[in-house]
Amino acid sequence: MRSGVKVFAWKRIRAGEEITIDYRLNAFGSGRSTCLCASPSCTGEIVGDFFSLSPKQQRDYLPFAPRFIRLEYRRRSAN
């Protein structure tokens, strides 16, 4: 990945297996766009906001999120 972005997998990936990236893990904001990948498992929408994930997903993803997301998560949790 460019700019030193790290990608983690929730399970082992076999050679030739399709992989996808959840962009919400890397940003926050209200940006939404249509995904044109046509993968059967795609939701059809790219949502660029970590905080649109469910609270459980946020907790699960948090250890892998970039520092600025972790700081914002802590700030929001403190309120």
Side-chain angles (χ1 to χ4, degrees):
M1 298 293 295
R2 64 189 164 113
S3 303
V5 174
K6 295 179 182 175
V7 178
F8 299 89
W10 291 102
K11 64 182 184 95
R12 290 187 71 80
I13 301 169
R14 295 184 310 269
E17 183 178 0
E18 176 185 39
I19 60 171
T20 60
I21 295 175
D22 189 334
Y23 291 98
R24 293 175 290 190
L25 188 56
N26 293 307
F28 64 90
S30 58
R32 292 176 180 267
S33 60
T34 302
C35 183
L36 303 174
C37 76
S39 168
S41 62
C42 181
T43 64
E45 184 177 42
I46 298 170
V47 181
D49 184 10
F50 176 86
F51 298 100
S52 69
L53 294 166
S54 71
K56 181 188 180 326
Q57 287 175 308
Q58 288 181 32
R59 287 188 304 274
D60 290 346
Y61 282 25
L62 194 62
F64 308 106
R67 185 173 186 271
F68 74 96
I69 294 285
R70 293 192 312 267
L71 291 172
E72 179 66 14
Y73 179 88
R74 284 194 287 273
R75 185 190 73 76
R76 291 182 184 202
S77 297
N79 293 329

